[in-house]
Amino acid sequence: MKTTLACVFAIILCGPALAVGDDVPMSPLVAWQADRTVVLDAADIDLPEFQWIARPVVVFADSPADPRLVKQLDLLAARVGELVERDIVVIVDSDPAAESALRTELRPRGFMLVLIDKDGGVKLRKAAPWHVRELTRIIDKTPELQQEVRDRRALAE
């Protein structure tokens, strides 16, 4: 578990340092498109950038050491393939002092998990860690995902 936690925090801390070419910072969307398993830091996120492209799962905590945050990141990492299949981008905000735009918009109190659909609407808010299985059940019921499945089937024919 310590190794997983160390890797997750390394990704969070190094994510903004990723660059494209001559010291041009890589946008969070481009970073996610390059590696759909990356965990993004909320400080650099502009939610409309992800609209109709990805389903953000935003995890808030008051500290990087919050056991609920650690558990949630472990649960997400354990079934990352299911997240990739459903175009889920994981965003973490564990610094209330930074007052990120996401924190201002979604107003968490302590730990909170928020699922946002591709249309930009909040589909779920939970004050406790959730399993990927439960998240995917919510997503699989959305009209947007059902249409995506129909479109994929039509392309395969």
Side-chain angles (χ1 to χ4, degrees):
M1 182 160 139
K2 287 182 181 180
T3 305
T4 303
L5 184 59
C7 290
V8 168
F9 285 118
I11 291 169
I12 291 170
L13 296 175
C14 294
L18 297 173
V20 179
D22 302 311
D23 296 328
V24 177
M26 184 183 295
S27 81
L29 177 61
V30 172
W32 175 76
Q33 288 173 324
D35 178 5
R36 292 186 165 215
T37 63
V38 70
V39 176
L40 300 175
D41 183 9
D44 305 322
I45 300 298
D46 180 26
L47 275 183
E49 184 179 14
F50 289 93
Q51 194 167 5
W52 302 115
I53 297 170
R55 293 177 178 86
V57 168
V58 186
V59 184
F60 292 99
D62 288 339
S63 163
D66 185 329
R68 295 169 296 183
L69 173 64
V70 173
K71 181 176 182 179
Q72 185 63 69
L73 293 176
D74 285 343
L75 290 170
L76 294 171
R79 297 179 81 167
V80 72
E82 293 177 49
L83 302 178
V84 170
E85 285 175 20
R86 289 167 180 84
D87 298 328
I88 294 174
V89 57
V90 178
I91 302 167
V92 175
D93 184 334
S94 61
D95 184 8
E99 297 180 5
S100 70
L102 285 176
R103 192 170 283 273
T104 303
E105 181 179 340
L106 298 172
R107 299 177 183 231
R109 291 188 180 124
F111 178 87
M112 187 169 82
L113 173 105
V114 181
L115 169 63
I116 302 170
D117 205 10
K118 285 186 174 182
D119 65 2
V122 174
K123 298 298 179 199
L124 175 75
R125 288 177 186 260
K126 290 294 172 184
W130 261 43
H131 289 273
V132 171
R133 180 185 72 247
E134 295 163 323
L135 288 171
T136 58
R137 284 183 184 164
I138 300 288
I139 293 167
D140 291 348
K141 292 179 185 177
T142 63
E144 289 87 359
L145 184 77
Q146 292 172 2
Q147 184 61 47
E148 288 174 28
V149 170
R150 285 191 294 270
D151 291 348
R152 286 183 198 143
R153 286 182 185 153
L155 288 174
E157 293 178 352

